[in-house]
């Protein structure tokens, strides 16, 4: 009886569906086919080296097409569409991983040569050729980015609060509009602006760490505003209204209800902003200058930063080019690690402050 | 709460680490007397071509005078000249000397007016024409052919004009990709100046820091050009000779001979070239004789100057500049820069004139 | 908090607490400060640009005898063209990635995956420049040659192919990779905020996952997507060092993607020419910066005109 029903009447839950293991098997098959095809191409001499990227892409395209056709035949057009989009979305992710892996591999492979203790304890004062380090650049980058964040996060956050919670009318519209315009300020113009500003105060030709920090915050503010505004807007009005109904003042509602609800998104935005500016080369070159010496004082003298260190190590290599290039890549690796560390820290902060929600 | 304690601990740890390492290891032994009583800071800014050499000189000078800090900011020649004129730096490094108008205007903020400036050709570097062709290490070319290649009128490596000068070389039929500097640069200015002087019928554009013709491939900075030439095939470019590395290099026809680049040949062209007329005694601006047919000279050179005041408003700056300039023209400094930055050391005759100029700084 | 003034007979109004006043005042001040900073930047640009327009063109070395407008036109074209190409590649990809992280990947994995994409934002622009010029360009160059040989009749693919692969398309790919994490991070956060009730309602009606996303997530996230794209566009328009390192710019105005002749961009051109610029030349470069500023203004106005940002879905309407 059970046997008869399973052959004549199909299981209602699996009828008209592809089996759950079909996509995985299909993916394996198409990948294998594409891999073999590219192996033939290589053996035939059409391509010089084995084209991994090409093989993977062809495999994915084959998989997408076959799965769509099969699903359309068995499951109908709606499910076929769903499967196609699933494939596309996953492919988008894989494609985004390609440059990431490539960049990371390049930086790691080239940067590990000089990623040693001396690199973190030496400056470049009196160093010629091999050796030397980037302590002065690390200190400069940390100081300038820190000050830039101290300037732009409060301003940016308060502005987005104004836009979302208070702002109505022409002023708010003007701010929203001009913040968008501000995102388009080219980084080097921000540097020129900061330089000109401090040249008025301290005289011509002056290069200061604080000028670099101001240039960075000009670039950072709009990113903070735009991202945190987006996040604040997503906080449901029901939460605010509930707080008002309980007699909570507006500013406390914002501080205790709205901000914690959106803290995860806001920290993401702030971290994006930091990542956006910490790697800026051009404005720091113009505003903070270049030095081989340690400098802890933002208000006195030139200050080195990691991007400028990387850039100048690459540009001016001298006879012993490899030593200089090794320093450049090690500097790049350090910079990436610093941002990763900050990112991790921000996520931890966000997790501790965010209210516990269903998801 | 647990988190807050963690965070506080982390902050204390980070702050402590920063305080403990308050100075880089190599900067800790600052200030132990070594016979020099010079102290202070002098800022220079300018040519990025000079950066590698300046690093050598600054390191040598600071080792001799531990209490002195020389900051050289490779902001670019134009920026360096502007900064020096505005009084933002004590000396400038520039790929071209100040021109007659600028000198006549005499608006140098850190100098005593009416006394003029000192210009020393301390950085002489041959510019190599580099190429990337499998199995070929050198080619013989005259100015007209080089101009044709870079202008885009000669497009194949086996072109007759090239083949005629390199009969023993087996030239491939690959297309030529000529790489030039994307940025405004002294190297380009000196290179095009040579082409314009030595092959004016082909290179009809006025020499300048910006590449005059459309077409070809552009790459930023010397490093960019070298990378583009190295990563491509059938590529050719021009770069400071110290960066030529394992790439093929062109021997340039001067008079009846093909001369490969060398320090001696580069210094030789400077010696046969006249100084710019109508300048003060300390102003050693040189007009390079690109079309020279003298034996053994290499005409494509970049001269970069060290510029300071004849008389500074500040005595401290004057002392530092005088000492630093004196060190830079010394045998020791020039030899060190030849080794680490590939410059051609200045000749004895030039040294004697430069020494007089440095001596006169006040 | 309530003072005696509250007892006087007046129409019922919300209480004006000192905390509220300070807070809203602070918010207003911050907003106004941004406007002031922007005004200062604009004033700086305008003041510095004036000599560029008043000095006769033949006295400015950098213009090489041309007028300012013929100098700036290829740069404007290059800036818009490269940014458009970059967004064309980055936005669909970013939406796909954001959807993958928010709605497709297993929940446990999702946060880690988001972190991985955020890593791209951690790469400094100079590194992208070096990577683009020395790794990406040689890798795509054979494809460019192949495309120009076989599809050269399409104007975009016109030959001859660049010998090094450092073309405007390569630069745009690098730009796309650079703006990708910005757009992804924001759209991802927005997608995650889609009301669960909407999603569940759609699923309960029997829709497939894609139909649910099309009906609830995308409409809800549309303003966020636009906002994120504008941020990305701003970065793409103003990126300096990466473009300067990757792009072989010769000043040609062309739509061809694979040749050595490419227009430069305004920001890259400033970075490349600034170090050697002196006197009025600096002012000319700053004037091109002013043009870029104006472009951003126009592009933003258009975007604002197309999409009204105050969407019905906003939580704080």
């Amino acid at each position: 009886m059970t046997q008869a029903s399973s052959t004549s009447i199909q299981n209602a839950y699996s009828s008209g569906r592809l089996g759950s293991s079909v996509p995985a098997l299909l993916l394996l098959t198409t990948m294998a086919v594409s891999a073999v095809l590219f192996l033939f191409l290589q053996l035939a001499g059409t391509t010089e080296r084995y084209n991994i990227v090409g093989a993977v892409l062809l495999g994915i395209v084959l998989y997408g097409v076959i799965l769509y056709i099969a699903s359309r035949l068995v499951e109908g057009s709606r499910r076929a569409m769903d499967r196609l989009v699933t494939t596309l979305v996953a492919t988008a992710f894989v494609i985004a991983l390609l440059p990431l892996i490539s960049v990371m591999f390049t930086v790691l492979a080239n940067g590990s040569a000089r990623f040693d203790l001396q690199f973190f304890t030496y400056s470049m004062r009196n160093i010629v050729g091999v050796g030397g380090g980037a302590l002065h650049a690390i200190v400069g980058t940390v100081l300038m980015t820190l000050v830039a964040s101290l300037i732009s996060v409060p301003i940016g956050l308060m502005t987005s609060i104004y836009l979302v919670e208070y702002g109505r009318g022409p002023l708010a519209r003007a701010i929203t509009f001009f913040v968008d315009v501000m995102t388009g300020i080219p980084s080097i113009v921000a540097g020129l602006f900061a330089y000109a500003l401090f040249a008025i105060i301290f005289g011509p030709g002056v290069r200061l760490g604080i000028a670099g920090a101001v240039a960075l915050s000009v670039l950072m503010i709009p990113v903070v505003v735009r991202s945190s505004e987006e996040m604040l807007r997503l906080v449901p009005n029901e939460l605010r209204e509930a707080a008002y109904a309980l007699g909570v003042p507006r500013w406390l509602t914002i501080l205790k209800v709205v901000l914690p609800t959106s803290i995860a998104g806001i920290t993401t935005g702030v971290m994006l902003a930091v990542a956006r500016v910490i790697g800026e080369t051009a404005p720091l070159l113009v505003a903070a200058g270049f030095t081989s010496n340690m400098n802890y004082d933002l208000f006195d003298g030139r200050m080195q930063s990691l991007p400028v260190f990387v850039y100048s190590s690459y540009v001016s290599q001298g006879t012993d080019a490899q030593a200089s290039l090794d320093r450049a890549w090690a500097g790049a690796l350090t910079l990436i690690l610093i941002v990763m560390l900050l990112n991790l820290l921000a996520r931890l902060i966000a997790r501790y402050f965010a209210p516990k929600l269903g998801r | 709460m647990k988190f807050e304690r963690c965070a506080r601990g982390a902050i204390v740890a980070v702050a402590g680490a920063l305080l403990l390492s308050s100075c880089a290891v190599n900067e800790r032994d600052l200030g132990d007397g070594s016979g020099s009583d010079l102290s202070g800071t002098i800022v220079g800014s300018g040519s990025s071509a000079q950066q590698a050499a300046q690093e050598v000189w600054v390191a040598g000078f600071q080792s001799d005078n531990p209490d002195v800090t020389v900051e050289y900011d490779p902001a670019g020649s134009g920026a360096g000249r502007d900064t020096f004129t505005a009084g933002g730096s004590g000396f400038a490094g520039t790929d071209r000397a100040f021109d007659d108008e600028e000198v006549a205007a005499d608006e140098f903020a850190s100098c005593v007016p009416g006394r003029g400036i000192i210009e020393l050709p301390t950085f002489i570097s041959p510019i190599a024409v580099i190429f990337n062709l499998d199995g070929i290490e050198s080619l013989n070319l005259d100015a007209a052919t080089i101009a044709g290649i870079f202008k885009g009128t000669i497009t194949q490596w086996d072109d007759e004009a090239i083949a005629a000068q390199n009969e023993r070389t087996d030239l491939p039929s690959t297309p030529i990709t000529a790489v030039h500097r994307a940025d405004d640069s002294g190297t380009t200015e000196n290179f095009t100046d040579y082409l314009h002087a030595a092959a004016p019928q082909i290179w009809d554009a006025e020499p300048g820091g910006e590449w005059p013709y459309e077409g070809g491939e552009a790459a930023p900075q010397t490093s960019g050009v070298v990378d583009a030439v190295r990563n491509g095939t059938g590529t050719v470019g021009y770069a400071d000779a110290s960066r030529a590395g394992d790439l093929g290099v062109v021997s340039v026809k001067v008079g009846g001979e093909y001369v490969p680049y060398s320090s001696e040949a580069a210094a030789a062209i400077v010696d046969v070239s006249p100084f710019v007329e109508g300048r003060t005694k300390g102003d050693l601006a040189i007009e390079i004789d690109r079309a020279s047919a003298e034996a053994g000279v290499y005409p494509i050179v970049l001269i970069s100057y060290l510029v300071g005041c004849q008389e500074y408003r500040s005595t401290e700056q004057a002392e530092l500049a005088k000492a630093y300039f004196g060190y830079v023209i010394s045998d020791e400094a020039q030899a060190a820069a030849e080794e680490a930055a590939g410059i051609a050391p200045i000749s004895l005759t030039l040294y004697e004139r430069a020494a007089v100029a440095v001596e006169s700084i006040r | 908090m309530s003072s005696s003034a509250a007892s006087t007979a007046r129409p019922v109004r919300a209480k004006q607490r000192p905390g509220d006043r300070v807070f809203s005042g602070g918010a207003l001040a911050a907003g106004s400060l941004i406007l002031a900073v922007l005004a200062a930047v604009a004033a700086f640009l305008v003041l510095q640009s004036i000599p560029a327009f008043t000095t006769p063109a033949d006295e400015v070395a950098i213009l090489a005898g041309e007028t300012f407008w013929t100098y700036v036109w290829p740069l404007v074209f290059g800036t818009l063209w490269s940014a458009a190409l970059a967004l064309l590649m980055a936005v669909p990809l970013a939406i796909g990635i954001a959807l993958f992280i928010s709605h497709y990947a297993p929940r446990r994995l999702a946060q880690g995956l988001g972190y991985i994409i955020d890593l791209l934002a951690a790469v400094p622009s100079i590194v992208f420049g070096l990577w683009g010029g020395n790794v990406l360009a040689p890798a795509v160059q054979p494809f460019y040659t192949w495309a120009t040989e076989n599809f050269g009749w399409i104007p975009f693919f016109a030959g001859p192919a660049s010998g090094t692969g450092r073309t405007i398309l390569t630069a745009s790919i690098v730009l796309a990779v650079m703006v990708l994490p910005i757009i992804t991070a924001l759209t991802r956060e927005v997608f995650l905020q889609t009301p669960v009730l909407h999603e569940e309602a759609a699923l309960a009606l029997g829709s497939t996952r894609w139909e649910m996303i099309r009906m609830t997530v995308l409409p809800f996230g549309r303003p966020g997507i636009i906002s994120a794209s504008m941020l990305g566009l701003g970065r793409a328009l103003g990126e300096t060092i990466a473009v300067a390192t990757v792009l072989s710019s010769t000043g040609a105005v062309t739509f061809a993607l694979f040749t050595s002749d490419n227009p430069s961009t305004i920001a890259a051109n400033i970075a490349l020419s600034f170090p050697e610029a002196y006197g009025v030349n600096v002012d000319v470069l700053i004037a091109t910066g002013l043009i870029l500023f104006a472009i951003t203004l126009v592009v933003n106005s258009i975007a604002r005109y197309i999409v009204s940002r105050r969407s019905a879905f906003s939580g704080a309407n």
Side-chain angles (χ1 to χ4, degrees):
Chain A
M1 171 106 169
T2 47
Q3 263 185 339
S5 68
S6 69
T7 47
S8 59
I9 312 161
Q10 282 182 330
N11 180 346
Y13 292 107
S14 64
S15 69
R17 302 287 307 260
L18 290 173
S20 61
S21 60
V22 169
L25 286 176
L26 184 64
L27 185 64
L28 277 180
T29 321
T30 53
M31 282 296 172
V33 168
S34 147
V36 170
L37 197 71
F38 271 84
L39 189 65
F40 281 138
L41 274 180
Q42 185 202 8
L43 293 180
T46 323
T47 54
E48 258 175 56
R49 280 184 302 160
Y50 192 76
N51 192 342
I52 302 177
V53 176
V56 171
L57 285 185
L58 181 74
I60 290 175
V61 170
L62 276 180
Y63 166 76
V65 171
I66 295 175
L67 187 65
Y68 179 74
I69 293 171
S71 168
R72 200 181 165 95
L73 292 176
V74 180
E75 303 177 324
S77 65
R78 283 177 56 209
R79 289 206 185 284
M81 193 63 200
D82 187 43
R83 286 197 188 274
L84 182 66
V85 172
T86 308
T87 316
L88 285 179
V89 164
T91 313
F93 188 76
V94 174
I95 290 178
L97 283 184
L98 290 180
L100 180 69
I101 293 170
S102 175
V103 168
M104 288 298 163
F105 178 77
T106 313
V107 174
L108 269 178
N110 293 309
S112 49
R114 271 306 316 280
F115 201 71
D116 49 22
L117 188 65
Q118 196 189 15
F119 190 77
F120 294 98
T121 48
Y122 273 56
S123 71
M124 286 301 290
R125 187 183 169 95
N126 295 357
I127 303 284
V128 173
V130 284
L135 184 62
H136 59 315
I138 296 171
V139 168
T141 285
V142 170
L143 281 180
M144 284 192 279
T145 316
L146 191 72
V147 171
S149 312
L150 286 181
I151 298 174
S152 34
V153 171
I155 294 181
L157 199 55
M158 285 307 272
T159 305
S160 57
I161 289 174
Y162 174 76
L163 290 176
V164 176
E165 305 290 336
Y166 293 100
R168 300 286 180 269
L171 182 64
R173 274 205 300 279
I175 293 176
T176 332
F177 179 74
F178 282 109
V179 163
D180 276 351
V181 174
M182 213 169 160
T183 60
I185 296 179
S187 50
I188 188 154
V189 169
L192 292 173
F193 165 72
Y195 166 69
L197 186 71
F198 281 85
I200 295 172
I201 306 170
F202 292 95
V206 70
R207 302 281 199 283
L208 296 172
I210 188 75
V214 168
L216 292 187
S217 47
V218 169
L219 294 169
M220 206 173 157
I221 287 173
V223 185
V224 176
V225 176
R226 176 56 65 248
S227 52
S228 40
E229 184 197 346
E230 216 50 63
M231 295 311 144
L232 290 179
R233 261 185 216 294
L234 292 172
V235 175
N237 255 354
E238 287 83 349
L239 285 182
R240 297 189 180 87
E241 282 155 10
Y244 295 151
L246 290 171
V248 182
R250 192 165 195 181
W251 67 282
L252 269 181
T253 309
I254 296 170
L255 218 56
K256 297 277 182 189
V257 176
V258 177
L259 282 182
T261 313
S262 51
I263 190 80
I266 290 175
T267 34
T268 307
V270 169
M271 281 328 297
L272 268 180
V274 169
R276 158 87 165 86
V277 299
I278 203 172
E280 280 294 348
T281 316
L284 293 182
L285 209 54
V286 175
F290 169 96
T291 176
S292 304
N293 305 315
M294 297 295 298
N295 182 7
Y296 288 96
D297 191 348
L298 284 161
F299 293 91
D300 182 32
R302 282 142 212 273
M303 196 174 242
Q304 181 73 308
S305 57
L306 271 174
V308 173
F309 176 81
V310 173
Y311 180 72
S312 64
S313 300
Y314 170 72
V315 164
S316 147
Q317 298 177 359
T319 319
D320 194 352
Q322 197 53 45
S324 206
L325 278 177
D326 284 347
R327 275 197 296 269
W329 285 110
L333 182 58
T334 314
L335 192 50
I336 292 175
L337 288 179
I338 289 179
V339 181
M340 277 171 66
L341 209 70
L342 288 176
N343 234 319
L344 213 65
L345 210 67
R347 267 159 200 273
L348 283 179
I349 293 173
R351 186 172 294 176
Y352 275 95
F353 281 110
K356 305 290 171 279
L357 291 176
R359 61 172 196 173
Chain B
M1 294 311 109
K2 192 173 133 211
F3 165 71
E4 269 180 345
R5 216 176 304 140
C6 283
R8 218 170 287 149
I11 289 165
V12 169
V14 169
L18 275 175
L19 277 176
L20 281 178
S21 64
S22 71
C23 218
V25 174
N26 56 325
E27 292 188 27
R28 285 218 179 118
D29 50 356
L30 279 174
D32 48 342
S34 64
S36 158
D37 50 0
L38 272 181
S39 68
T41 301
I42 186 166
V43 174
S45 96
S47 163
S48 50
Q50 283 196 30
Q51 190 186 353
Q54 287 281 1
E55 275 169 10
V56 178
W57 295 330
V58 168
F61 187 66
Q62 285 179 162
S63 303
D64 291 352
N65 308 282
D67 291 339
V68 177
T69 298
V70 182
E71 297 264 25
Y72 185 76
D73 188 341
S77 301
R81 287 197 302 273
D82 270 0
T83 309
F84 177 71
T85 311
S89 60
F91 67 93
T94 167
D95 294 349
R96 75 157 170 80
F98 279 95
D99 61 26
D100 292 343
E101 265 175 52
E102 288 160 340
V103 172
D106 195 31
E107 290 162 342
F108 303 103
S110 31
C111 308
V112 173
R115 296 301 311 273
I117 49 170
I118 300 261
E119 297 190 280
L120 305 173
T122 50
F123 179 96
I124 301 165
S125 168
I127 299 172
V129 179
I130 50 178
F131 60 85
N132 187 5
L133 280 176
D134 274 342
I136 303 178
E137 280 173 13
S138 76
L139 284 173
N140 294 334
L141 297 175
D142 58 15
T145 318
I146 298 176
I149 290 174
F150 278 95
K151 197 181 175 185
T153 51
I154 297 174
T155 56
Q156 296 275 341
W157 278 109
D158 54 358
D159 191 281
E160 260 176 51
I162 302 175
Q165 300 176 64
N166 299 280
E167 281 166 357
R168 288 200 208 142
T169 315
D170 185 21
L171 290 162
S173 64
T174 37
I176 298 177
T177 304
V179 186
H180 59 80
R181 287 281 286 267
D183 50 332
D184 193 338
S185 72
T187 311
T188 302
E189 185 159 358
N190 281 278
F191 184 62
T192 53
D193 187 33
Y194 160 73
L195 293 177
H196 185 66
Q201 65 283 9
I202 296 172
W203 201 266
D204 46 12
E206 285 292 317
E210 295 245 26
W211 193 250
Y213 298 113
E214 275 196 14
E217 175 106 5
Q221 304 285 358
T222 299
S223 301
V225 171
V226 173
D227 281 351
V229 171
R230 186 167 286 139
N231 292 335
T233 47
T235 43
V236 58
Y238 57 94
D240 292 356
S242 61
R243 304 289 305 283
D246 50 354
L247 291 164
V249 276
V250 168
S251 298
V252 178
K253 189 175 190 183
V254 181
E257 283 177 86
Y258 291 97
V259 185
Y261 79 81
S262 66
S263 294
E264 298 75 36
I269 185 82
V270 176
D271 277 347
V272 301
S273 302
F275 290 101
V276 176
E277 285 173 17
R279 297 291 179 96
T280 56
K281 224 174 132 193
D283 189 341
L284 304 183
I286 291 173
E287 188 108 44
I288 304 171
D289 182 12
R290 306 282 184 186
S292 167
E294 205 95 10
V297 302
Y298 184 80
I300 322 178
V301 294
L302 166 72
I303 296 188
S304 199
Y305 296 86
L306 209 54
V307 181
C309 296
Q310 181 74 62
E311 191 169 339
Y312 282 87
R313 284 182 196 272
S314 140
T315 30
E316 190 212 3
Q317 293 288 300
E319 264 179 33
L320 287 173
K322 191 172 180 172
Y324 183 59
F325 285 18
Y327 173 75
V328 167
I329 60 171
S330 71
D331 275 353
E332 178 199 346
Q334 290 281 320
E338 181 184 19
E339 196 196 319
I343 71 160
I346 55 173
S347 64
L348 192 62
T349 41
L350 195 53
Y351 169 74
E352 279 164 0
R353 289 203 58 163
V356 173
V358 170
E359 216 32 61
S360 71
I361 294 180
R362 267 186 289 152
Chain C
M1 280 292 193
S2 63
S3 62
S4 58
S7 60
T8 51
R10 271 191 201 162
V12 179
R13 283 187 61 192
K15 266 191 254 175
Q16 281 293 318
R17 298 177 180 85
D20 258 345
R21 239 169 284 149
V22 169
F23 204 73
S24 68
L28 182 65
S32 314
L33 188 66
I34 288 187
L35 286 187
V37 169
L38 200 75
V41 173
F44 157 73
L45 284 173
V46 171
L47 284 178
Q48 293 271 309
S49 308
I50 290 172
F53 295 107
T54 54
T55 313
D58 49 345
E59 284 176 23
V60 186
I62 206 170
L63 296 179
E66 300 171 57
T67 66
F68 176 74
W69 298 108
T70 49
Y71 175 76
V72 82
W73 157 240
L75 301 177
V76 171
F77 173 80
T79 307
L80 291 176
W81 180 226
S82 61
L85 283 174
L87 274 203
L88 212 62
M89 287 182 270
V91 171
L93 208 57
I95 295 175
I97 298 164
L99 278 180
F100 183 78
I101 294 170
S102 65
H103 286 86
Y104 283 83
R107 182 122 328 142
R108 279 174 191 287
L109 263 175
Q111 211 177 14
L113 294 178
Y115 184 64
I116 287 176
I117 297 296
D118 282 353
L119 276 187
L120 269 179
V123 181
S125 50
I126 171 68
V127 173
F128 271 122
L130 296 180
W131 173 77
N134 297 335
V135 179
L136 181 65
V140 290
Q141 199 273 334
F143 170 74
Y144 289 176
T145 313
W146 175 81
T148 47
E149 278 165 7
N150 294 289
F151 299 98
W153 46 271
I154 303 174
F156 291 136
F157 298 167
S162 159
T164 58
R166 298 166 61 256
T167 76
I168 190 123
L169 185 63
T170 314
S172 299
I173 294 175
V174 172
L175 281 180
V177 175
M178 292 178 80
V179 299
L180 198 61
I182 296 182
I183 306 180
T184 308
L186 284 183
T187 40
R188 179 187 76 214
E189 294 296 334
V190 175
F191 287 164
L192 280 175
Q193 301 289 340
T194 315
V196 189
L197 284 178
H198 292 199
E199 294 177 11
E200 283 169 355
L203 289 174
L205 289 173
S207 43
T208 60
R209 184 151 54 176
W210 163 237
E211 285 162 346
M212 179 271 285
I213 287 170
R214 214 186 50 201
M215 287 189 295
T216 66
V217 178
L218 290 184
F220 179 81
R222 202 181 57 152
I225 296 173
I226 301 282
S227 239
S229 307
M230 295 315 291
L231 262 189
L233 181 67
R235 172 113 209 232
L237 285 173
E239 178 49 44
T240 310
I241 291 282
V243 177
T245 317
V246 173
L247 186 61
S248 158
S249 53
T250 57
V253 178
T254 164
F255 283 104
L257 296 174
F258 299 147
T259 65
S260 294
D261 277 338
N262 300 293
S264 187
T265 71
I266 291 179
N269 182 61
I270 297 178
L272 288 176
S273 307
F274 188 76
E276 298 298 316
Y278 54 93
V280 191
N281 296 321
V282 176
D283 300 328
V284 169
L285 291 177
I286 291 179
T288 62
L290 180 66
I291 303 279
L292 179 53
F293 199 69
I295 291 176
T296 327
L297 214 101
V298 172
V299 168
N300 273 301
S301 310
I302 296 173
R304 186 61 46 99
Y305 180 75
I306 295 172
V307 197
S308 147
R309 279 180 41 82
R310 281 196 184 277
S311 154
F313 279 103
S314 168
N317 41 12

